[in-house]
Structures are given as structure tokens and as C-alpha cells.
Amino acid sequence: MNIFILGSGNVAWHLSVALKNAGHHIDGVYSRNINHAEELAQKLGTKAFDQLENISSDSDLYIISVSDKAIEPIARNLLVNKPVVHTSGSVAMHVLAKFAQYGVFYPLQTFSRERIVDLKKVPFCIESNTPELFNVLEKLALDISDIVVPMSSEKRMQCHLAAVFANNFVNHFYTHAKKILNENQLSFDLIKPLIRETALKAIEIGPEHAQTGPARRGDQNVLQYHMELLSDESLKKMYSFVSDSIMKKYQSK
Amino acid sequence: MNIFILGSGNVAWHLSVALKNAGHHIDGVYSRNINHAEELAQKLGTKAFDQLENISSDSDLYIISVSDKAIEPIARNLLVNKPVVHTSGSVAMHVLAKFAQYGVFYPLQTFSRERIVDLKKVPFCIESNTPELFNVLEKLALDISDIVVPMSSEKRMQCHLAAVFANNFVNHFYTHAKKILNENQLSFDLIKPLIRETALKAIEIGPEHAQTGPARRGDQNVLQYHMELLSDESLKKMYSFVSDSIMKKYQSK
């Protein structure tokens, strides 16, 4: 397929490289910032754009892969008569309803520029307003991933909400753990095996069977001792809040 | 070495099997519950005990690997004149001060009976009241692990606190994520690649560089929308609490 990429962030970057490697042609890259567009365009051997009105209707598919807030203004000013999709987890499909054929092509993963992610193992949640485009998106997703899931906008947003807990919030707690270690001249390396095992264990036996620790056991001595160890007031509050939530779940049974 | 194990829980189980596999002899297993003691003793080809007064001083080392609360009463009633250690992250070494030589042998990992954990990659935090016993514990730990760290009781407790964030709290959030998915007829499998990548990314680039998501970006639209999606009041509170904490950390910069 001939594909046009709108966006130059982490998702645009990983997605366009994977599509090119799967044999598709990237016709161009748009970004408000021409330097960003050129950087990705160069990587893909294609043209860079920073004016939406210069984008022709020659491509088969237009993929808008920008921050959530920027999708609607781009859609408003993009003047093409071909299928248009976005890649967001939390924006409804109908934001693209001005186009005859539109849809969503959402990779459920966390992306950073510097990390190579194996897209084959990333679920692509797809949705479209027509069966024709749906089939196109399904085929395209299968070119780069083993896991393709039809999903309504409503369910996709629930998925994204679950991902916020499993990624954003989890990572924030890794950050707290690292801070506690570093403040005590201890290396973050010490808990890396624990972080790895915690993820693998939840994946393999399910998180509800993997829960351990003082709150799970209702061990008030340790809970109180930990509260005394924490000097930061907001961390104290966090500790007691999450511990209470764990206790409520397990101690009442 | 000839080692006596007091305890039959997850840590006792994994540790004693690893020590036996490394060529050490397990002289016996004690548990208040004789069935539990016999189950592990059978696995190790040794004797089971449920009376502390029947335990002789013939072994070279006594490892108390029981729940935190049970350590002190066992230490009080154990009548041996040989080195005694415990394996807890959150109990001070001096709870064993009645023995001439005592210490701590703490594996920083989460253990479940059914999961095989590669102890080689588990940090052992060790501490002792004498240099002689310290050397013995260091050598013993190196027989089963590549990572052995001398650590005071104070630092060990900070380490354990960090582990509560990185394991207990993280796993609790996996549980919330799974609940959100299941309530919407979506499979937990969908976020397994995300859970794996979240852990690997934090390990490789550091959690402070890996933070993404609506709270990190200060995206009020998505934050508000997620709050509307959540029906459970305590989950709503959790969402807003953790998001505020992320925003406070990143948005002020």
C-alpha cells in the first residue's frame, strides 16, 4: 500500500518503520515542525510536509499518529478523499467522521524513540466505519503484528484505561521504589530481578494469585514500620492508600 | 554445610531446595504443622520436626524462614549453640541476639510455591554480628546466587519498602487493570505485552525516563474521561490520587 503518515512522535516513528519494513511505501511524513518531519522522512526515504493543504489524495491510506488533542484540528484541515485513521487509545473514531472512510489503528503498547519494540507481539485494536476499510486495516495490521483485535471505540477506551494502570501507574511506582533506594545509597539494580519476576508472575499465574506482602497478609507491624520509614508526606499517603486498597480486597475474604 | 531449616513456606521451600542442589546437606525441617514439615522434608530427603526442643545443636547453621511475626517466638524457644539466621526483609537482626552468632540471609525476590525462580539472579542481602559468620553466609549465598550484598538491618528494611512499591503495589495495579478489562469482556492477554515491556523499559532506561501517559502529559481531557469511565468509587479515588502524584512530579518541571 501507499501510506501517508501524519505525525513524527514515538508511535508514528515505530509504526512507519515497521510498515516500510513489511513492504509498504510511505509517500510522505507530515509534522507541524518541519525538522521533525524531515528527520522521520529521511529515515523512511520519503518527503517531509509541514502544510496540510500540500498533502494530495494520491495515497491509499492516511494514518494520523499525533497527540490526542492534535487529531481533531488535523482532521479538520486535511483535505483528502481517501481513508483516514488515527492511532490513539482514547479518542473516539467519529472524530474522523468528515471522511467517507475512517477508522482506528491502535497499537496497545508503550513506545519510546530509543527502544526497539517487537511489533509482532503488540496487539493492534482496529475499528472502521465500513467493512471494506476494516478488511484493509486488518490485513495491514497482520503484516506487522501477530495480534489483531476488532474493537469498538468504547472498548478501546476501557483498554486504554487498563493500560494506564498497568503501565503509567506501575512505572510511577518503580520511580518511587528507585527514589527510596537511592535516598539510602542503594542501587536500583537490586530490585531489577524483582521487577522482572513481578511482571512474569502476573502474566503467567494472574495478578490475583500473585499478590504477596504485608498488606496482603494484614501484617500491621510491618505496615506501621514502613509508614515510619517514609519521610515524604505524599509517599506516606500513597503507601497507606494503596495498602488499604489491598487489605480491603484480600482481608475481608 | 549441614543446615537445619525452620519453616516450610515459599522462601523455605525455594531456599532449601537450592541449597541441597548446591551440595549442602539439609539435616531437618521444622514447622509447627508437622504435615507441612513432612512435605518439605520428603522433598529434601530429610527428617521433619514440629517440636523446637527436639532440635539438636548438630547442624552448622539454622535458617529461620517463617513469617515475620513467628521469628521471635521461634528464636526464644530454639535451644542450639550454633549460628542462627533469618530470611526476612523487615525484621532487625538483633531479634536473634540471644545466640552467640546470628545474622540475616535475605533473598530479595517474590516467591510462590508453584513458580520456579532462578535464584542465581536473586540478590541475597546478608548481615551478621561476627566476621566469621559473615564469611560463612557470603560463601553460602555465592553457592546459590551471583548477587550477594552486605547490608545493615536499616538498609535492608528500606530495600524491603522499595520492594513493596515495585512488587506488591505494582501487582495490585495489574489486578485493577485485569478487572477493568474483564468487566468489559476484554481479555487480560491484551495487556500482557504491555506489562512485559513496561518492566523491561524501566529496567533498561530507568523509570524516570520511561514515564508516559495522560498524567505525564497533563492531558486533562483524557484524565477526566477516564474518571467518567470508572464506576467503582475506590478505583476512581486511586486513579485521581496516582495521577495527581504523577502530575506533581512532571508537570511542575
Side-chain angles (χ1 to χ4, degrees), chain B:
Chain B
M1 287 183 80
N2 292 308
I3 299 167
F4 196 99
I5 302 287
L6 296 105
S8 59
N10 295 333
V11 178
W13 194 275
H14 285 275
L15 195 57
S16 58
V17 170
L19 290 169
K20 187 180 184 225
N21 290 342
H24 296 284
H25 186 261
I26 310 298
D27 292 337
V29 173
Y30 162 85
S31 170
R32 269 185 316 182
N33 180 321
I34 191 67
N35 295 327
H36 294 172
E38 271 168 1
E39 199 187 345
L40 179 54
Q42 197 165 16
K43 168 108 184 146
L44 299 166
T46 189
K47 285 166 285 181
F49 294 77
D50 67 350
Q51 301 295 323
L52 290 167
E53 58 269 30
N54 294 343
I55 300 174
S56 77
S57 287
D58 293 342
S59 303
D60 302 313
L61 180 68
Y62 295 78
I63 300 179
I64 304 178
S65 187
V66 296
S67 66
D68 290 354
K69 278 183 249 181
I71 295 175
E72 197 275 324
I74 286 182
R76 197 167 51 227
N77 295 305
L78 180 66
L79 306 165
V80 297
N81 55 20
K82 291 289 183 61
V84 179
V85 298
H86 73 64
T87 62
S88 165
S90 47
V91 172
M93 177 173 73
H94 63 65
V95 71
L96 303 176
K98 74 168 236 193
F99 302 101
Q101 289 195 79
Y102 56 96
V104 175
F105 197 75
Y106 168 53
L108 180 39
Q109 187 52 286
T110 170
F111 295 98
S112 298
R113 185 71 57 87
E114 65 265 37
R115 271 185 69 75
I116 295 166
V117 170
D118 181 8
L119 281 185
K120 282 274 164 216
K121 304 283 168 229
V122 173
F124 276 75
C125 308
I126 58 172
E127 183 184 13
S128 169
N129 73 321
T130 70
E132 293 75 26
L133 179 57
F134 182 87
N135 290 340
V136 168
L137 296 177
E138 189 176 38
K139 205 170 158 301
L140 190 67
L142 284 169
D143 283 343
I144 53 177
S145 173
D146 296 335
I147 314 161
V148 180
V149 191
M151 198 181 288
S152 68
S153 285
E154 273 171 19
K155 297 222 167 182
R156 177 165 40 83
M157 289 179 204
Q158 294 283 0
C159 234
H160 183 247
L161 175 59
V164 164
F165 276 88
N167 168 272
N168 303 167
F169 290 2
V170 158
N171 187 72
H172 189 51
F173 279 2
Y174 296 154
T175 312
H176 284 318
K178 184 173 181 176
K179 190 171 171 243
I180 292 167
L181 290 169
N182 290 353
E183 283 175 356
N184 291 282
Q185 296 78 49
L186 292 161
S187 166
F188 181 54
D189 289 349
L190 279 171
I191 60 163
K192 286 181 177 178
L194 179 68
I195 287 176
R196 191 180 284 111
E197 171 66 9
T198 303
L200 295 181
K201 194 172 166 180
I203 286 170
E204 288 174 28
I205 70 173
E208 67 280 27
H209 305 298
Q211 191 69 49
T212 58
R216 169 72 180 84
R217 294 191 305 272
D219 187 334
Q220 293 295 344
N221 287 344
V222 174
L223 291 172
Q224 203 182 321
Y225 189 68
H226 280 169
M227 287 294 281
E228 286 164 23
L229 286 181
L230 288 164
S231 51
D232 181 318
E233 274 308 314
S234 73
L235 221 48
K236 251 186 159 71
K237 237 173 112 178
M238 182 82 81
Y239 185 93
S240 115
F241 196 81
V242 184
S243 293
D244 284 350
S245 168
I246 295 173
M247 277 193 286
K248 223 175 281 171
K249 183 171 172 62
Y250 293 94
Q251 292 302 312
S252 58
K253 284 179 187 169

Side-chain angles (χ1 to χ4, degrees), chain A residues 154-173:
Chain A
E154 274 173 18
K155 296 223 170 186
R156 177 165 40 84
M157 290 179 204
Q158 294 283 358
C159 233
H160 183 246
L161 175 59
V164 165
F165 276 89
N167 169 273
N168 303 168
F169 290 3
V170 158
N171 187 72
H172 189 52
F173 279 3

Side-chain angles (χ1 to χ4, degrees), chain A residues 91-110:
Chain A
V91 173
M93 177 173 72
H94 63 66
V95 73
L96 303 176
K98 74 167 234 193
F99 301 101
Q101 289 195 80
Y102 56 96
V104 176
F105 196 75
Y106 169 52
L108 180 39
Q109 187 53 286
T110 170

